Amino acid sequence: MNQDLQQYADIIEQLKPMVNEPEFNRVLMQVGANIPKEKRFLIKMEVKRLAKPCMRSIDLRGLVDGKCKLYEHDGRKHYMDDVAIEKFEEQIRVFGSYTFGVYEAVQNTENNFRVLREKAEKRELSGGSAAEKKKASILEQFKAPIVNLLDYRQRNTERMNFAVAVELFNESNQSIRGLSVDISLGGLQVKLDKESLFKKNERVSVYFRGLETEFAMDKKNGIAYKLVKITRKNDLIYLALQRDTANPNTAFDKFLESFIHGNKRRYKVNMANTIEAITSKTCEQYFSPRSPTLPVYIDEIKGQLIPRFAMVNEVNRETVSYWQDEEDECRIGFLLSKPRLQLLLKKPEATREIFIYSFTHLQNEKVYFYSAAYEELEKKDVLKDVFLGFGSKKASWRVFKVTLTDMSPEQAHVPTSIPDSVGTKIKRQNTPPAPRLMAKLQHLKYLAHVTDVTSVIGQQAYNSFTFNKDNLSHLRTFGHARNKPPAPISLSRFKYEEQRLESRYRLRSQIELTIPEDNSVHVGVSEDISVHGLGLRIELNKGYSGELEGQVEVAFPRLQEITKSFDVMHLRYLVVYHNVEKNILLLKAMPGEQGKSARAFFEELIKKNKHSLQEDDGEEEIPGMGQALRVINARNPTSLSFLMSKEGPRYTPEAGIIGRQDERVSLLSTHYAESRQVNLEYLFRDRKLDSPFMQSGIKQVKLENMPLRQELFVSFDPTQKDQRLAIIPRYSHRFENNGQRKAFIDDAMARGQFIAIHVMLTTTGKPDLSMLQTEISYVSVYAIHRAKELEQKLWSIAACSHLIDVTDEVLIRYGFDQEAIKRNRDSSTEKAVVKTSIQALLNA
């Protein structure tokens, strides 16, 4: 209901049953006698609207605090809980049929999570009690545990859950009694209910009082252990002990081995680390195949940095495609030149990032690449203005964020969490990579991550950089010579891509665009086509003179020379977007018969050229190379990502993956969260709007089968206790113009810190169970119900979001100088937030 009519809700309720009666107007005059005439008219229109027939199905699964079930009415299926069904039937009696009033009343029941959240927020604003605030908290659904990809404990021996009375003596011969929690051949965990007498690394003698009836224990000498860790949980003390190898006890070892082997089914093997491994591997399964970042692996040989390998998935392949020339040779080495890698290397590891701008020029069907790092443009204003001003007017304009992080070849080894002693198959899986493979990886020292962070709004902002056309000759400084191609980079691809996300496909060719109304012809080049050829992006030599949503005819003279099966000189399109200068156009194929030729030709073209980005059927040149590179990349994420599970129609965070860089975003996301958690509520702050980005965005990704990108601007003041005041987020497309965006940035920097995030949404594919089956099977042996829970959780993951820090690039585009950018990065508010490093977050 409109906010203006909220005060008349009681009157509207009275009028509902009368809406279809002849005396409706008379009743309205009676009950609204004291209401202004214009307000009475609005009330009448509102009641009439509520009485209109509704065709929508109701699905409250995941939206209410109740169990939903199938409910059919007039042949339409709904999913509602008991509270909603009661409200539904009540409103049907009021209106006499299924109307919008019925639909909206059911959406606003007392147990609806949205209603509960809004009431909780009102109570907080009006100063409700602490107990009410806690009870009505709406933030929990946006919190998620932090998961370190492929980082879990591997045990040398099986550990069995086993509670038995023990007595521990320290080096001063003081003793304390406790209870064992679990036991293995090499270790022991003990629970104490009072303050410990022990200190870390101390030698401890343990007497197993509860085993004395089953094993002839040495009454004078206990079993020697070393105390390796002390933790506190719920007022209890837990000691982690490791067998002291300097004081062996062969008899006890033999007894313990036999005892564990004979009783592990009875007492249950402790599988905490295996469950941790399954969770970690599950997250990796959903993260790696859809990450937008292209990892490039770099050798260091005699002080020289040489890009050697790149790992391509179904999302970052757009970056690879962009850097392919007309002969499909990948030239991404132009982007990662030696001077730029050295520039990155000189920076502190936590801030090794640069933004690189690029565009291409097509001449005689040959592709010419131009790129410039901002540090290179800074040397002269004339360089910056001409490159950014001219380049941003090209359809091929891109902005890449490049980061550099340390890595080691040893990270390629990812054993299972299960000890070798369980079986020969496990032992074989735990074997390190072959020497031949490690020899190929031995010089790898750095990992460069290349991420396309281009935005349409950002490109429009760069259009405002003015330049003198006489200075266009300066662009030659940033052109990459075709006769000096970069060293080739070997591309490895994910073998697992069962549910493909479609991509835009590069198509650089001369075009002619005709406007039927006046038969005027514009010459230009195409940049790329979208899935099934439905969309086409082109760049014209002069501004488009037609209208938005106007029909145009596109001709591809060069393509017509190579095909006789299709007429590609009269393809019909609609203009769905153009930039301010009208030289960059997005076209959509005409529906029905008019667009049939365009759709058919490009579908065939894409089908025949997909091989360039598909996995070869043949074996890898070096077995295991793809898996090794994948594992190294998963262990070195640079930005924050999180997985979302689906419950009914709602998506909520399930697990967070902290990056080793992009510290601002990580600190922002952990500021209002408990240890080892992220709180991502600020990304869902627009959830009350008609089209919240996260929820509706995922639906759009599923519908179009393509990734979705958006920028989020954040004003952050961590000194505020109220999260809603400390973090003020706004998606960039919600602003009306660049003036409003700059005003928001100015205000954010004045009150604390400005942070800009490139948010990317993808759905998830099917997991490769072969990587998880060993550990799931192991859990099934001892706890089949736990294994089923893990599998259910595995299949509940439905979407992934990647958050890339683009703060500095956004400040550049809106005219802030380096001093202001540095001041924003090193602001005092940020220092107040930094209680621990990102490395500490990862290792906690």
Side-chain angles (χ1 to χ4, degrees):
M1 186 184 299
N2 190 302
Q3 288 291 328
D4 293 338
L5 295 175
Q6 196 67 47
Q7 58 183 311
Y8 305 113
D10 291 340
I11 293 176
I12 289 172
E13 285 297 319
Q14 293 178 50
L15 291 170
K16 281 181 181 179
M18 304 298 298
V19 64
N20 294 317
E21 300 297 329
E23 58 269 28
F24 174 73
N25 288 329
R26 179 171 56 81
V27 174
L28 173 61
M29 288 296 295
Q30 289 176 351
V31 299
N34 298 323
I35 298 174
K37 184 178 180 180
E38 62 273 13
K39 291 291 184 182
R40 278 204 308 271
F41 176 75
L42 292 176
I43 291 171
K44 179 180 179 179
M45 291 299 100
E46 174 65 8
V47 178
K48 293 285 187 182
R49 182 188 70 80
L50 293 174
K52 287 182 178 179
C54 182
M55 305 300 290
R56 299 177 184 175
S57 292
I58 299 172
D59 189 349
L60 298 178
R61 289 175 292 183
L63 297 178
V64 294
D65 186 13
K67 187 175 182 180
C68 293
K69 56 189 176 185
L70 178 63
Y71 181 95
E72 292 195 33
H73 178 268
D74 281 351
R76 187 172 289 106
K77 294 180 179 180
H78 307 285
Y79 287 92
M80 300 183 288
D81 68 324
D82 291 337
V83 176
I85 290 172
E86 184 179 342
K87 177 63 72 173
F88 182 91
E89 293 174 345
E90 171 199 294
Q91 293 295 308
I92 287 287
R93 291 192 294 271
V94 169
F95 287 101
S97 62
Y98 181 44
T99 69
F100 278 99
V102 179
Y103 176 84
E104 291 178 12
V106 172
Q107 298 288 344
N108 289 288
T109 55
E110 292 295 315
N111 66 335
N112 187 288
F113 289 134
R114 175 182 51 77
V115 175
L116 290 171
R117 182 182 67 241
E118 289 172 355
K119 285 185 176 181
E121 290 174 349
K122 286 180 181 178
R123 280 197 296 271
E124 287 181 13
L125 289 172
S126 60
S129 70
E132 284 180 326
K133 290 179 183 179
K134 184 175 180 182
K135 186 176 179 181
S137 174
I138 58 168
L139 301 179
E140 291 303 312
Q141 63 179 314
F142 301 113
K143 294 180 180 178
I146 294 171
V147 176
N148 293 339
L149 299 183
L150 305 183
D151 183 13
Y152 47 83
R153 296 162 292 166
Q154 186 196 24
R155 289 179 177 155
N156 296 322
T157 55
E158 287 185 292
R159 182 175 296 185
M160 183 178 73
N161 293 322
F162 186 57
V164 63
V166 294
E167 187 173 6
L168 288 72
F169 286 79
N170 63 14
E171 292 174 349
S172 302
N173 207 34
Q174 295 173 298
S175 71
I176 190 170
R177 286 184 176 264
L179 199 66
S180 67
V181 177
D182 51 49
I183 190 170
S184 68
L185 291 176
L188 173 71
Q189 187 174 193
V190 175
K191 177 171 62 177
L192 308 175
D193 60 1
K194 58 183 177 180
E195 195 64 34
S196 171
L197 301 169
F198 306 95
K199 58 182 181 292
K200 193 175 178 182
N201 296 322
E202 183 178 14
R203 184 177 174 276
V204 178
S205 295
V206 179
Y207 291 82
F208 291 84
R209 301 304 186 194
L211 288 177
E212 289 175 346
T213 58
E214 301 191 41
F215 176 68
M217 304 295 293
D218 187 341
K219 304 290 185 182
K220 295 182 179 180
N221 299 297
I223 307 301
Y225 283 87
K226 182 181 179 182
L227 180 56
V228 293
K229 189 176 181 181
I230 303 173
T231 56
R232 285 177 171 79
K233 294 179 186 176
N234 302 324
D235 299 325
L236 294 173
I237 310 297
Y238 289 84
L239 306 182
L241 304 166
Q242 193 175 67
R243 283 294 296 277
D244 186 355
T245 54
N247 294 277
N249 190 318
T250 307
F252 181 74
D253 289 345
K254 288 182 179 179
F255 162 75
L256 195 56
E257 185 175 9
S258 175
F259 186 80
I260 292 175
H261 183 73
N263 291 280
K264 64 183 181 181
R265 286 184 183 272
R266 175 186 172 192
Y267 293 112
K268 304 291 186 186
V269 170
N270 185 301
M271 296 174 294
N273 71 312
T274 300
I275 291 169
E276 179 187 14
I278 293 171
T279 301
S280 178
K281 288 184 176 182
T282 296
C283 291
E284 190 278 333
Q285 285 280 298
Y286 289 121
F287 166 80
S288 294
R290 297 284 167 86
S291 169
T293 296
L294 177 72
V296 181
Y297 305 77
I298 298 174
D299 274 349
E300 184 179 56
I301 301 176
K302 296 181 180 179
Q304 295 293 313
L305 301 186
I306 306 168
R308 193 69 75 191
F309 308 104
M311 193 76 187
V312 185
N313 65 28
E314 56 193 79
V315 177
N316 68 30
R317 62 180 174 175
E318 289 191 39
T319 298
V320 175
S321 177
Y322 177 84
W323 286 97
Q324 285 178 314
D325 62 16
E326 71 282 354
E327 296 178 351
D328 283 335
E329 292 292 334
C330 182
R331 304 301 188 193
I332 199 167
F334 284 144
L335 182 78
L336 299 173
S337 64
K338 290 180 181 179
R340 289 173 187 167
L341 292 176
Q342 288 297 331
L343 173 64
L344 282 165
L345 198 57
K346 290 176 183 177
K347 298 188 176 191
E349 186 176 358
T351 58
R352 285 183 192 156
E353 66 174 47
I354 56 173
F355 290 95
I356 301 177
Y357 308 93
S358 70
F359 63 88
T360 62
H361 178 64
L362 188 69
Q363 186 173 349
N364 298 325
E365 294 297 305
K366 296 186 187 307
V367 181
Y368 294 83
F369 293 96
Y370 293 79
S371 72
Y374 185 71
E375 286 80 355
E376 295 164 355
L377 296 174
E378 252 196 317
K379 294 174 182 177
K380 288 184 180 180
D381 285 342
V382 65
L383 295 178
K384 180 175 67 175
D385 292 343
V386 73
F387 192 96
L388 298 179
F390 176 82
S392 62
K393 292 177 174 60
K394 306 274 290 179
S396 57
W397 171 257
R398 295 291 187 278
V399 182
F400 294 99
K401 179 177 179 177
V402 181
T403 63
L404 192 71
T405 186
D406 295 345
M407 57 141 288
S408 69
E410 289 70 29
Q411 291 177 322
H413 179 39
V414 56
T416 69
S417 60
I418 307 170
D420 291 353
S421 57
V422 171
T424 54
K425 182 180 178 182
I426 299 296
K427 187 175 182 179
R428 186 166 58 251
Q429 288 181 316
N430 290 340
T431 304
R436 183 186 174 202
L437 171 58
M438 294 306 294
K440 277 286 186 181
L441 305 177
Q442 64 178 326
H443 296 298
L444 293 180
K445 190 171 181 181
Y446 299 104
L447 186 55
H449 283 107
V450 180
T451 311
D452 185 346
V453 293
T454 315
S455 77
V456 173
I457 291 171
Q459 187 170 3
Q460 291 173 349
Y462 285 118
N463 285 173
S464 64
F465 281 69
T466 57
F467 62 94
N468 189 326
K469 290 186 178 181
D470 294 337
N471 292 327
L472 285 176
S473 58
H474 288 293
L475 292 175
R476 282 199 289 265
T477 307
F478 305 104
H480 298 290
R482 288 176 53 87
N483 60 351
K484 295 179 180 179
I489 296 174
S490 177
L491 300 179
S492 292
R493 297 178 176 85
F494 285 87
K495 289 185 177 180
Y496 151 64
E497 289 182 11
E498 290 194 33
Q499 284 187 338
R500 283 186 176 273
L501 273 177
E502 296 296 350
S503 177
R504 297 190 72 89
Y505 293 87
R506 175 182 49 79
L507 178 69
R508 297 176 178 130
S509 186
Q510 303 291 341
I511 61 102
E512 294 174 1
L513 181 142
T514 303
I515 302 173
E517 284 80 359
D518 56 9
N519 280 326
S520 60
V521 178
H522 296 256
V523 178
V525 296
S526 61
E527 173 61 19
D528 55 37
I529 49 176
S530 65
V531 56
H532 307 312
L534 290 174
L536 175 67
R537 179 161 52 180
I538 62 173
E539 178 189 339
L540 303 177
N541 291 352
K542 63 178 182 178
Y544 166 65
S545 58
E547 297 295 326
L548 201 61
E549 298 296 331
Q551 294 186 25
V552 294
E553 196 171 83
V554 180
F556 288 85
R558 297 294 178 91
L559 294 182
Q560 190 64 76
E561 294 174 8
I562 61 174
T563 179
K564 294 181 180 178
S565 304
F566 298 90
D567 175 11
V568 293
M569 296 298 290
H570 304 89
L571 302 182
R572 304 295 298 278
Y573 283 91
L574 280 173
V575 179
V576 295
Y577 166 84
H578 60 66
N579 63 346
V580 177
E581 287 77 14
K582 293 189 175 184
N583 70 313
I584 298 175
L585 274 60
L586 291 184
L587 311 178
K588 183 178 180 180
M590 291 283 290
E593 279 295 318
Q594 288 182 299
K596 185 177 180 181
S597 296
R599 292 192 299 273
F601 171 69
F602 287 121
E603 279 185 6
E604 184 71 13
L605 185 70
I606 291 171
K607 183 179 177 181
K608 287 187 176 180
N609 288 276
K610 268 189 175 182
H611 69 276
S612 62
L613 286 175
Q614 285 182 344
E615 180 68 34
D616 294 332
D617 294 331
E619 294 292 325
E620 292 179 303
E621 181 183 348
I622 300 177
M625 174 62 82
Q627 176 66 6
L629 296 178
R630 172 175 177 166
V631 169
I632 291 171
N633 181 57
R635 285 176 161 172
N636 295 282
T638 55
S639 56
L640 192 149
S641 303
F642 66 96
L643 302 173
M644 286 176 277
S645 59
K646 186 173 187 248
E647 185 179 343
R650 190 177 51 163
Y651 296 87
T652 54
E654 186 68 35
I657 301 160
I658 290 283
R660 296 183 183 276
Q661 294 174 330
D662 283 10
E663 191 171 80
R664 277 183 292 220
V665 177
S666 297
L667 292 170
L668 175 70
S669 302
T670 56
H671 188 62
Y672 286 93
E674 291 74 32
S675 175
R676 298 294 303 157
Q677 278 195 337
V678 287
N679 184 352
L680 301 163
E681 182 272 339
Y682 68 92
L683 291 162
F684 296 80
R685 192 74 63 83
D686 68 341
R687 56 191 179 272
K688 296 179 184 178
L689 300 180
D690 291 337
S691 57
F693 176 68
M694 283 292 172
Q695 306 293 352
S696 62
I698 295 171
K699 292 177 183 177
Q700 185 178 336
V701 173
K702 292 176 72 174
L703 182 67
E704 299 179 1
N705 206 28
M706 293 179 68
L708 186 66
R709 302 167 184 264
Q710 190 53 261
E711 281 183 347
L712 180 70
F713 287 7
V714 178
S715 175
F716 185 36
D717 178 6
T719 62
Q720 299 282 348
K721 292 183 179 180
D722 187 336
Q723 181 178 348
R724 291 167 304 176
L725 297 176
I727 302 175
I728 301 175
R730 191 168 182 186
Y731 284 98
S732 185
H733 66 289
R734 307 284 187 197
F735 294 98
E736 292 183 6
N737 52 53
N738 284 331
Q740 288 187 1
R741 294 184 182 95
K742 190 172 185 306
F744 181 92
I745 296 171
D746 286 330
D747 181 66
M749 294 172 73
R751 70 187 290 269
Q753 185 181 33
F754 170 70
I755 301 173
I757 305 171
H758 185 89
V759 183
M760 181 169 179
L761 284 179
T762 69
T763 51
T764 52
K766 295 178 182 178
D768 184 356
L769 291 177
S770 64
M771 294 182 68
L772 299 162
Q773 201 58 58
T774 298
E775 276 138 329
I776 290 178
S777 298
Y778 181 69
V779 173
S780 299
V781 172
Y782 302 103
I784 191 166
H785 67 285
R786 193 74 178 92
K788 287 181 178 178
E789 286 176 9
L790 289 166
E791 285 203 60
Q792 286 175 356
K793 191 172 183 179
L794 171 70
W795 289 102
S796 73
I797 304 297
C800 186
S801 181
H802 305 268
L803 312 179
I804 298 100
D805 186 346
V806 291
T807 306
D808 293 357
E809 187 267 319
V810 169
L811 292 176
I812 290 167
R813 81 168 75 136
Y814 292 112
F816 290 88
D817 58 26
Q818 282 301 300
E819 184 180 343
I821 293 172
K822 186 178 185 302
R823 193 164 56 246
N824 182 63
R825 180 180 284 277
D826 300 332
S827 67
S828 59
T829 54
E830 182 174 353
K831 292 175 184 176
V833 175
V834 184
K835 300 172 184 175
T836 182
S837 67
I838 294 303
Q839 194 65 41
L841 271 175
L842 292 167
N843 296 332

